Amino acid sequence: MSVLDHGLVVGDGVFETVAVEHGRPFALTRHLARLERSARGLGIGDPDLALIRSGIEATMDGQDLPFGRIRITVTSGPGPLGSPRGDGPLTHVVVTEPADRPPSVAAIATVPWVRNERGAVSGLKTTSYAENALMIEHAHDLDASEAVMANTRGLLCEGTGSNIMYVLDGRIITPTLESGCLAGITRALALEWLSEELEVVEEDRPIEVLEEADEVILVGTTRNIQAISRVDHRELEAPGPVTRRAQEIWARESAKTSDP
């Protein structure tokens, strides 16, 4: 990648992180479809999916990966030292590495910054992650593994790299996509799989709902279904009974195929 690549100069690109389970990418087709949607939404054109698939094969070749991750990045290519884009081809980058599994239980911190649900890149998985980096460092300073934010209307939105769910009166509730949260792959699969046995709804509520939730859950590519034991200074049972059942359903369904 050139130092003049617009992805490096202004963060003009999109990306996906794909989990590797037992040497196989998980939900790769869904991730590539979202990569295309993000690239089109950003206006940089269509990624070369065949090239990306060959890059994944090449970077996984020879690696023993019981668990790992693939980072796929597509940028608008070389450009000037400013916001306008160049007219060259897209840059495609694929990196595959082993990874440690996140713990099944974690703590989260709410942050004073908000997600702009009306912004130009709302709902797109872009490489412009500086505000997420700031938020997660803030959470780490509070001995939490993830930062969770509201949107500009004060409604619960998402984590920096995860979607959030919570349990009230036995129901699993997650913010709608209209909140500005990313359309997470794990979120979509959880809505599909968990709904077969549990009551799961999409509903927008103020972020303060986390102060009364019976259980809190993070879902994400490497987290899967992660129980939350602390929200700011509030301690929670983790995993609670609904979360535990959700984890069991996820484990059962995800074991059936690597590309659901």
Side-chain angles (χ1 to χ4, degrees), residues 52-120:
I52 290 170
R53 285 185 179 274
S54 66
I56 291 171
E57 291 179 5
T59 57
M60 291 184 65
D61 186 39
Q63 291 202 64
D64 181 16
L65 291 172
F67 184 72
R69 58 190 168 203
I70 304 163
R71 164 74 182 229
I72 305 164
T73 305
V74 179
T75 79
S76 61
L81 295 176
S83 295
R85 292 173 176 149
D87 56 4
L90 301 182
T91 298
H92 297 72
V93 180
V94 178
V95 179
T96 301
E97 65 176 8
D100 296 326
R101 290 186 184 276
S104 60
V105 177
I108 62 175
T110 58
V111 296
W113 305 286
V114 299
R115 183 73 82 215
N116 183 1
E117 74 279 9
R118 296 171 293 173

Side-chain angles (χ1 to χ4, degrees), residues 4 30 41-42 85 92 103 118 134 147 160 195 223 244-245 249 251:
L4 297 178
R30 288 178 182 252
L42 195 60
R85 292 173 176 149
H92 297 72
R118 296 171 293 173
L134 175 62
T160 65
S195 294
R223 295 175 188 268
R244 188 178 300 110
R245 185 61 190 138
I249 295 169

Side-chain angles (χ1 to χ4, degrees), residues 100-108 145 215-219 222-230 236-240 243-244 246-248:
D100 296 326
R101 290 186 184 276
S104 60
V105 177
I108 62 175
S145 71
E215 303 173 39
V216 177
I217 305 166
L218 287 186
V219 298
T222 56
R223 295 175 188 268
N224 294 333
I225 308 290
Q226 187 180 53
I228 299 304
S229 61
R230 178 169 53 84
L236 293 162
E237 178 185 4
T243 304
R244 188 178 300 110
Q247 290 173 330
E248 292 168 353

Side-chain angles (χ1 to χ4, degrees), residues 10-259:
V10 297
D12 189 24
V14 298
F15 79 99
E16 288 289 324
T17 300
V18 183
V20 177
E21 288 278 2
H22 308 296
R24 300 178 67 184
F26 181 74
L28 180 58
T29 299
R30 288 178 182 252
H31 279 285
L32 292 181
R34 187 174 65 180
L35 184 77
E36 279 192 313
R37 291 195 301 271
S38 293
R40 290 171 182 171
L42 195 60
I44 64 174
D46 291 332
D48 186 336
L49 299 189
L51 179 65
I52 290 170
R53 285 185 179 274
S54 66
I56 291 171
E57 291 179 5
T59 57
M60 291 184 65
D61 186 39
Q63 291 202 64
D64 181 16
L65 291 172
F67 184 72
R69 58 190 168 203
I70 304 163
R71 164 74 182 229
I72 305 164
T73 305
V74 179
T75 79
S76 61
L81 295 176
S83 295
R85 292 173 176 149
D87 56 4
L90 301 182
T91 298
H92 297 72
V93 180
V94 178
V95 179
T96 301
E97 65 176 8
D100 296 326
R101 290 186 184 276
S104 60
V105 177
I108 62 175
T110 58
V111 296
W113 305 286
V114 299
R115 183 73 82 215
N116 183 1
E117 74 279 9
R118 296 171 293 173
V121 297
S122 176
L124 305 180
K125 197 168 179 66
T126 74
T127 57
S128 304
Y129 253 44
E131 68 173 7
N132 285 352
L134 175 62
M135 290 181 189
I136 194 67
E137 288 304 312
H138 178 82
H140 287 170
D141 288 342
L142 299 174
D143 196 27
S145 71
E146 174 65 303
V148 173
M149 72 211 73
N151 63 17
T152 64
R153 295 176 290 160
L155 301 174
L156 179 63
C157 187
E158 63 181 347
T160 65
S162 61
N163 290 109
I164 189 162
M165 298 180 169
Y166 54 93
V167 179
L168 274 177
D169 300 323
R171 296 194 308 161
I172 297 178
I173 305 171
T174 194
T176 71
L177 296 182
E178 285 70 32
S179 71
C181 70
L182 186 70
I185 304 302
T186 306
R187 175 187 182 276
L189 289 171
L191 286 172
E192 177 183 337
W193 291 344
L194 303 186
S195 294
E196 296 180 3
E197 298 183 31
L198 299 170
E199 186 176 359
V200 186
V201 298
E202 298 176 82
E203 186 174 293
D204 289 322
R205 298 195 184 193
I207 192 170
E208 288 79 12
V209 72
L210 295 180
E211 298 173 6
E212 58 183 286
D214 301 315
E215 303 173 39
V216 177
I217 305 166
L218 287 186
V219 298
T221 292
T222 56
R223 295 175 188 268
N224 294 333
I225 308 290
Q226 187 180 53
I228 299 304
S229 61
R230 178 169 53 84
V231 179
D232 295 329
H233 298 293
R234 181 177 181 240
E235 301 288 339
L236 293 162
E237 178 185 4
V242 178
T243 304
R244 188 178 300 110
R245 185 61 190 138
Q247 290 173 330
E248 292 168 353
I249 295 169
W250 178 272
R252 182 191 70 208
E253 296 300 318
S254 62
K256 294 178 179 179
T257 176
S258 64
D259 201 16

